[in-house]
Amino acid sequence: MEVDEFLKLFMQELQMNSHLRSYYRLLNNKNLYFWRKAYFEKRLRYVNDMLPPKKANIWDVGCGYGTTAIFLALNGHKVLANTLEFYYDKINERLNYWKQFGDLSNLEIEYANLFDMPVKQGGYDVIIAQDTLHHLEPIDEAMLIFRKSLAGDGRMIVTEENGHNVFIMLKNFLKRGFKRVTSYYDEKLQKTIRFGNENARSFSKWHCILSNAGMIIPGNSIGYVRFFPPFVFNKTNYYQLQKKEAEIGKKCRLLREILFFGINFTAEISPNNKL
């Protein structure tokens, strides 16, 4: 299933599902629709573009409500996804909707904490972490799990908030102060979960964390997204502005590091750390 077709069906699902609308917020404000859709679409296309050409065994870690996992499964990939979202009990409702449009027998979604899951040594061609890494603590332990779980030629595909963006830094500080790591009691798992409290980081910090875990980030995989403000986007300039943002992100280091809202990159096992 192509991205355009999937997005069209996804918008139809949002119309019918109020729980999803409150989470994704794409349809909540018509004045913000194209701005929010561009961010969502750009990141989904990035994940799709970074997949290997073959059908892959994929782990979608921290999958949220399973949207990307569903898209990948509809395209023939084998997907294991885990989440700790309260919406988990309603995911079957989502699957019933998407089964109308393709085979989802190769998709498994679990309510599970990353650190409790068995490590499948070299078991995944791709690990996807969308808005997930900043919630994982201890982060160094999580990265070692990812490195062990990747096949030798595998890759981790990451989309994250840009923790060096001045607006994101201010928003997160006002929300949680200096308390970047906290914990809560999970009723389903009957245990206390430690997690990052909107602990967004800059690209340079992610680079350092991954390096310490024996992983590298290919330079050609790095991309920055969302620069223009909401009121600029409309139906006519939708794709033109996305192209312009990409150009600015490549040319101007200062702007991309402090004013772009999102960062995309992939990570691979360093040649020195391959089994």
Side-chain angles (χ1 to χ4, degrees):
M1 180 179 290
E2 297 295 330
V3 171
D4 287 337
E5 181 184 1
F6 181 80
L7 288 173
K8 180 180 178 181
L9 295 171
F10 180 54
M11 296 305 166
Q12 292 176 9
E13 182 188 23
L14 291 180
Q15 292 280 5
M16 299 182 294
N17 192 323
S18 59
H19 297 284
L20 285 177
R21 282 203 305 275
S22 64
Y23 180 78
Y24 287 103
R25 300 190 300 165
L26 285 163
L27 303 183
N28 291 9
N29 186 329
K30 65 180 181 180
N31 295 323
L32 301 177
Y33 171 71
F34 289 105
W35 182 67
R36 286 176 171 165
K37 181 175 181 285
Y39 192 56
F40 182 89
E41 179 177 350
K42 189 79 172 180
R43 300 169 104 201
L44 181 61
R45 288 190 185 278
Y46 178 81
V47 170
N48 191 49
D49 291 345
M50 290 297 162
L51 293 173
K54 64 179 182 179
K55 300 304 180 187
N57 191 14
I58 299 175
W59 178 14
D60 186 356
V61 60
C63 70
Y65 295 163
T67 299
T68 299
I70 291 170
F71 171 75
L72 297 170
L74 288 172
N75 280 287
H77 301 286
K78 182 179 180 181
V79 185
L80 170 67
N82 71 291
T83 184
L84 292 175
E85 290 286 357
F86 69 92
Y87 184 77
Y88 176 77
D89 292 339
K90 297 184 178 296
I91 284 182
N92 279 336
E93 179 183 335
R94 296 205 69 193
L95 299 183
N96 288 334
Y97 170 80
W98 286 102
K99 285 176 182 176
Q100 303 173 81
F101 311 109
D103 181 14
L104 292 179
S105 61
N106 52 354
L107 170 62
E108 181 181 359
I109 302 179
E110 299 180 352
Y111 190 93
N113 179 25
L114 160 71
F115 300 102
D116 296 332
M117 299 173 70
V119 177
K120 296 183 179 180
Q121 192 82 36
Y124 298 100
D125 304 303
V126 176
I127 296 174
I128 294 174
Q130 290 188 277
D131 286 325
T132 297
L133 294 188
H134 65 271
H135 287 311
L136 301 180
E137 291 295 340
I139 188 62
D140 292 335
E141 184 179 336
M143 289 298 183
L144 289 175
I145 291 173
F146 295 147
R147 194 194 75 196
K148 292 176 182 178
S149 300
L150 275 177
D153 60 348
R155 67 185 62 167
M156 181 164 69
I157 303 174
V158 177
T159 68
E160 271 286 326
E161 280 189 338
N162 176 14
H164 205 208
N165 174 283
V166 291
F167 301 107
I168 288 176
M169 286 194 292
L170 178 60
K171 177 199 71 172
N172 288 344
F173 180 78
L174 292 175
K175 183 175 182 178
R176 47 94 167 125
F178 293 106
K179 194 173 184 180
R180 288 176 169 267
V181 179
T182 185
S183 61
Y184 71 97
Y185 188 76
D186 189 290
E187 294 289 347
K188 286 183 181 291
L189 299 179
Q190 296 290 294
K191 66 179 298 183
T192 299
I193 303 293
R194 187 183 180 196
F195 76 106
N197 188 12
E198 302 304 328
N199 196 7
R201 297 171 173 90
S202 65
F203 173 77
S204 62
K205 288 185 178 179
W206 286 123
H207 185 276
C208 181
I209 290 170
L210 284 157
S211 295
N212 290 339
M215 301 179 73
I216 59 174
I217 301 174
N220 61 0
S221 77
I222 305 165
Y224 286 76
V225 293
R226 186 180 273 181
F227 171 70
F228 293 115
F231 60 83
V232 177
F233 273 87
N234 58 53
K235 185 176 182 179
T236 303
N237 65 19
Y238 181 75
Y239 289 108
Q240 180 183 357
L241 284 184
Q242 291 183 66
K243 183 179 179 181
K244 188 66 176 178
E245 281 186 338
E247 293 172 354
I248 295 172
K250 289 179 180 179
K251 292 179 180 179
C252 186
R253 179 179 178 180
L254 180 62
L255 288 180
R256 69 173 178 253
E257 290 193 354
I258 67 172
L259 292 180
F260 275 74
F261 278 75
I263 49 177
N264 302 330
F265 58 88
T266 68
E268 302 171 355
I269 300 174
S270 170
N272 296 330
N273 286 277
K274 293 184 178 181
L275 297 177

